[in-house]
Amino acid sequence: MLILRLCAVTFFYFISFSSFAQRTQAGCDLTLSGSVIDEHDKDGLSFAEIYLPELSRGTVADEKGHFRIDGLCSGRLLVRAMHLGCEPVERMLNLTKHEVVQFKLEHHAHELKEFEVARNRPDENVGQARNVLDKADMEKNGGRNMAEMLGRLPGVNVLSTGPTIGKPVIHGLSGNRILTLNQGIRQEDQQWGTEHAPNLDPFSSDRITVVKGAASVQYGSDAIGGVIVTEPIALPRSAGMSGELRAGGQLNGAGGGGNAMLQGGMKGVRGVGWRVQGSGKLLGDSRSPYYVLSNTGMNEQGFSGGIGYRNMRFNVSGYYSWFARELGILRASHIGNLTDLESSITTGTPWYIDDFTYTISSPRQRVQHHLAKTELGYAVSDRGRIVLTYGFQTDARAEYDIRRGNRSGVPALDLSLTSHTGELVFNHWLGRKVHGKIGGSGLFQRNINQPGTGIRPLLPNYEKRSGGVFVVEHFPLSEKLELEAGARLEGTFIEVARYTQEGLYERPHHQYVNHAFSAGANWTVKDSVRLRANFSSAFRPPHVSELYSEGLHHGAAAIENGDRLLGSERSTKATLDVEARWFGGKLRTDVTLYVDRINNYIYLRPNGTALTIRGAFPVFNYVATNANLYGMDASLQYAFTPRWSLRSRTSIVRGRDLVRNEWLFQMPSDRTENSLVWSKERAGKWSALEFGLISTYVAQQLRVPADLDYTAPPGSYHLVGFQASASKSMGKHELRFGVNGYNLFNTAYRDYMDRFRYYADARGMDLAIWLRFSFGKNNKD
């Protein structure tokens, strides 16, 4: 209850203080008005949307395309104009007086992909808290994997398995509760494993949006904890060629990677665009402050290509990507007997330490992921559009253990996952006060254990079928208030083929029918205060791993046992997000409060240790309980001067097991990150100069179940780092580079959310350098 009281006090403090700050501001009575017209015939575009991204505020034009927004403050303001079937247009205004502007939109069919909606339409996921990593943010995190990039956002943590494998945790939830959209397609790549990092190439995207809330209405199952939307760069629309070359290196691991991208249009045929890109990365063993983390190297490659065409009403596009990764699993996590296992956990010293090498030996894992996607869109009118999307994915995962008889080269687990997904959506605009979408989606999935491992498989063969229908409607009641309501009905059927421990063949099946609802509101209280509120439900049928796992999961270095009687998780979550700008925008704050009740919450619970012919390992059982999660995310940015600013991000989450009346196992620790940043727009031939000192403090997790874990939670730790970057224009080209430092004082620490904290310290000091060279015709034509 203490955290809820603190959150309530914080909320009312921000509201009252921001209201006072608003009264102290002058010049917030300006008006922006004008019209939105078609570039070709000059007709007004009825019901066009005008949006101010920095204020999260907008309006809808009338039948003749005219609009008006009152109560604006003086200063620079980004304005975005949008209309169904048109490419959005943005304009930066320096508002010093009442302004009248005209936007000219080109009427080409716009690809209303699910992931692009989060970027181009302000009313998606109304009331849901969200954060964005744009291209510049992603570049500044050079050398980090996607989970570590997202881990710098408030409310997002990292569940790691050693130094090279990480999965994002949103408001305390991870794994199958976090849905990843890759190119608008649900990523299906054996997400059930804690050491199964998402198999996608971050170079294929220039923007990642994190929706922090239950989002099953739009996205279906597995979105119970949130959605990670990797958004691609829009294809060029006209003739010309451009591209990018990227490279990076890092000290810890003595490796690096690179990426090359080329894109263009077709001369004489406007509307055709294409892009190809490839990337690679190689790292050797990571180092902790005092020893090598042996067998933690990695090697990955990726390729993608896309082509598309769009005209006045029709669009079609195709996309293909391939991603491969080989990872070493910390050698010290595989132990031969119970005595050594207990000794390693007790003393905190790895039993196996070797010299640095790039060689990846067993235990290790190899994965390959293929994605093919096609999308068709047709604007049946200026107020309606049909979009049909199909995705095909294959995911091959081979996990290699240390085996006797020279059999370490034979995988102990060899899985092949094939997925077909389809979605049909009708986007409609019924008028100024109602617009939304209605649609249906389906999934067919087959998982096969490849023969020849010589070991009883951890997971059985299975087929999964699911289908759902949904509707989401938006109600912009005024330029300051918008409501959203939606619902979804979905059914899931799972059929398993397995042999029991007694050698009997069986084909059990499971059926689940679930529903979800969502209601949200965006309210611009004043020009400097915006509220988002959302109340929604979500669901998640149990994964086959939770139902039928039995045996050693070598990548996690643990024995895992499922429970075939588990049912669907059901979540009901309330979220309140408050954004405020104080003192003319010098101080900006964003606070998110949430509470999430989950019935039948499924998690891995420690259950002693076991000795097998493959070594001694901790045992974890899948169990279910009723849980209550609540917490707060807060971010602050204060500009002392035009060049100096302070940025702060804090995340707090609490989880209670309501059945056992104890704290939930493996909830993230309290975390705060503070940065002192110096920036300058231009210095001679250089631009966008920035240097920042970063301080990260993670508290010890004291809210844990009594006498459950194998060792006490590690202590708190404090890390210091820095970031520096700059750009240089070279005619039509641009060079941008940066240097990052992590854990500069080489602090020895262990993180509570690291599954390998039982065996070794986390990675020590690291320095990374990155650069990007952009060349050719600007793709924003």
Side-chain angles (χ1 to χ4, degrees), residues 299-474:
N299 182 10
E300 63 183 35
Q301 306 88 37
F303 168 82
S304 67
I307 187 170
Y309 169 76
R310 51 184 181 263
N311 61 22
M312 284 282 290
R313 289 193 176 276
F314 174 76
N315 76 274
V316 59
S317 64
Y319 177 86
Y320 168 77
S321 69
W322 167 77
F323 182 78
R325 176 192 284 138
E326 183 177 20
L327 293 169
I329 303 299
L330 180 69
R331 180 66 180 86
S333 65
H334 284 234
I335 299 175
N337 58 72
L338 292 175
T339 301
D340 289 345
L341 173 62
E342 294 172 359
S343 174
S344 178
I345 293 176
T346 302
T347 63
T349 302
W351 73 271
Y352 185 92
I353 300 174
D354 204 348
D355 295 333
F356 171 88
T357 180
Y358 290 98
T359 301
I360 299 176
S361 304
S362 296
R364 59 192 171 95
Q365 53 182 246
R366 286 181 175 174
V367 295
Q368 287 198 54
H369 188 82
H370 299 263
L371 165 65
K373 172 203 169 182
T374 184
E375 181 176 286
L376 299 173
Y378 181 72
V380 296
S381 69
D382 284 345
R383 299 192 180 190
R385 181 174 183 79
I386 296 175
V387 180
L388 175 64
T389 306
Y390 167 76
F392 171 77
Q393 299 177 72
T394 62
D395 191 86
R397 167 172 290 273
E399 301 188 357
Y400 298 82
D401 200 357
I402 302 172
R403 305 175 69 175
R404 300 175 182 175
N406 295 321
R407 301 192 67 209
S408 294
V410 178
L413 180 68
D414 195 355
L415 299 175
S416 177
L417 181 70
T418 302
S419 304
H420 302 263
T421 58
E423 184 177 65
L424 179 64
V425 177
F426 177 61
N427 298 279
H428 55 269
W429 189 283
L430 304 181
R432 298 185 63 184
K433 301 297 183 182
V434 181
H435 58 276
K437 57 185 175 182
I438 184 171
S441 61
L443 165 72
F444 174 78
Q445 189 172 84
R446 175 179 291 149
N447 183 77
I448 299 295
N449 281 279
Q450 300 298 327
T453 64
I455 295 176
R456 181 179 176 85
L458 174 66
L459 293 184
N461 296 337
Y462 68 87
E463 288 186 354
K464 177 181 178 181
R465 303 173 181 86
S466 67
V469 293
F470 67 92
V471 58
V472 180
E473 297 294 341
H474 305 283

Side-chain angles (χ1 to χ4, degrees), residues 51 81 121 151 179 191 277 297 369 421 424 467 507 516 580 625 631 679 711 716 740:
Y51 186 57
R121 292 284 298 280
L179 175 65
Q191 285 278 28
Q277 72 91 27
H369 188 82
T421 58
L424 179 64
R507 298 182 67 91
T625 188
S679 60
T711 184
S716 59
N740 302 338

Side-chain angles (χ1 to χ4, degrees), residues 3-176:
I3 184 65
L4 293 179
R5 295 192 187 101
L6 290 175
C7 291
V9 170
T10 303
F11 167 66
F12 288 113
Y13 170 78
F14 278 0
I15 290 296
S16 61
F17 193 88
S18 59
S19 298
F20 167 77
Q22 173 69 16
R23 291 193 296 269
T24 66
Q25 298 177 29
C28 290
D29 57 354
L30 300 181
T31 298
L32 175 66
S33 61
S35 60
V36 184
I37 66 173
D38 188 289
E39 184 178 22
H40 298 290
D41 57 22
K42 311 304 179 186
D43 289 339
L45 295 177
S46 58
F47 310 121
E49 294 179 78
I50 307 299
Y51 186 57
L52 312 178
E54 295 175 342
L55 305 181
S56 295
R57 179 180 172 187
T59 189
V60 178
D62 61 19
E63 291 84 352
K64 296 182 179 181
H66 298 139
F67 68 91
R68 178 187 177 97
I69 302 177
D70 297 312
L72 298 177
C73 302
S74 60
R76 290 173 60 84
L77 193 66
L78 180 65
V79 185
R80 181 184 299 153
M82 297 164 287
H83 189 263
L84 189 65
C86 299
E87 295 289 343
V89 171
E90 292 184 347
R91 186 179 302 176
M92 182 65 73
L93 301 177
N94 188 14
L95 203 63
T96 59
K97 56 184 177 61
H98 301 300
E99 289 281 354
V100 179
V101 297
Q102 185 179 75
F103 290 94
K104 298 178 181 180
L105 302 188
E106 188 170 7
H107 225 184
H108 285 279
H110 184 70
E111 299 180 36
L112 293 177
K113 303 185 181 82
E114 195 79 35
F115 54 87
E116 288 182 333
V117 169
R119 170 185 291 182
N120 296 324
R121 292 284 298 280
D123 55 1
E124 289 294 332
N125 302 300
V126 168
Q128 295 277 26
R130 71 181 69 140
N131 292 104
V132 173
L133 275 178
D134 59 19
K135 183 176 182 178
D137 293 327
M138 295 172 67
E139 287 179 339
K140 293 174 185 177
N141 285 277
R144 307 289 93 176
N145 59 43
M146 189 182 75
E148 290 173 323
M149 292 182 189
L150 298 177
R152 297 197 59 197
L153 297 175
V156 183
N157 297 88
V158 180
L159 177 63
S160 58
T161 305
T164 56
I165 304 175
K167 298 169 72 73
V169 180
I170 302 176
H171 289 173
L173 301 178
S174 63
N176 286 325

Side-chain angles (χ1 to χ4, degrees), residues 155-370:
V156 183
N157 297 88
V158 180
L159 177 63
S160 58
T161 305
T164 56
I165 304 175
K167 298 169 72 73
V169 180
I170 302 176
H171 289 173
L173 301 178
S174 63
N176 286 325
R177 301 183 183 94
I178 306 298
L179 175 65
T180 300
L181 286 182
N182 181 14
Q183 306 292 323
I185 300 294
R186 295 170 56 101
Q187 181 82 357
E188 301 288 348
D189 57 357
Q190 307 282 3
Q191 285 278 28
W192 52 272
T194 57
E195 89 297 358
H196 298 175
N199 295 328
L200 55 88
D201 185 357
F203 285 113
S204 65
S205 172
D206 69 343
R207 181 182 170 106
I208 302 176
T209 299
V210 178
V211 179
K212 299 185 293 185
S216 287
V217 168
Q218 292 198 54
Y219 305 111
S221 63
D222 297 348
I224 193 170
V227 184
I228 297 172
V229 187
T230 62
E231 306 177 23
I233 313 164
L235 290 174
R237 304 192 305 272
S238 58
M241 190 176 296
S242 62
E244 289 184 350
L245 297 174
R246 302 186 189 184
Q250 59 189 84
L251 178 65
N252 200 329
N259 166 264
M261 183 272 288
L262 190 65
Q263 62 181 5
M266 183 176 295
K267 187 175 182 179
V269 186
R270 183 171 178 85
V272 174
W274 58 269
R275 175 180 300 109
V276 292
Q277 72 91 27
S279 63
K281 187 175 184 180
L282 174 67
L283 292 175
D285 291 336
S286 296
R287 287 191 61 92
S288 74
Y290 301 114
Y291 44 79
V292 173
L293 299 170
S294 296
N295 201 46
T296 55
M298 67 174 296
N299 182 10
E300 63 183 35
Q301 306 88 37
F303 168 82
S304 67
I307 187 170
Y309 169 76
R310 51 184 181 263
N311 61 22
M312 284 282 290
R313 289 193 176 276
F314 174 76
N315 76 274
V316 59
S317 64
Y319 177 86
Y320 168 77
S321 69
W322 167 77
F323 182 78
R325 176 192 284 138
E326 183 177 20
L327 293 169
I329 303 299
L330 180 69
R331 180 66 180 86
S333 65
H334 284 234
I335 299 175
N337 58 72
L338 292 175
T339 301
D340 289 345
L341 173 62
E342 294 172 359
S343 174
S344 178
I345 293 176
T346 302
T347 63
T349 302
W351 73 271
Y352 185 92
I353 300 174
D354 204 348
D355 295 333
F356 171 88
T357 180
Y358 290 98
T359 301
I360 299 176
S361 304
S362 296
R364 59 192 171 95
Q365 53 182 246
R366 286 181 175 174
V367 295
Q368 287 198 54
H369 188 82
H370 299 263

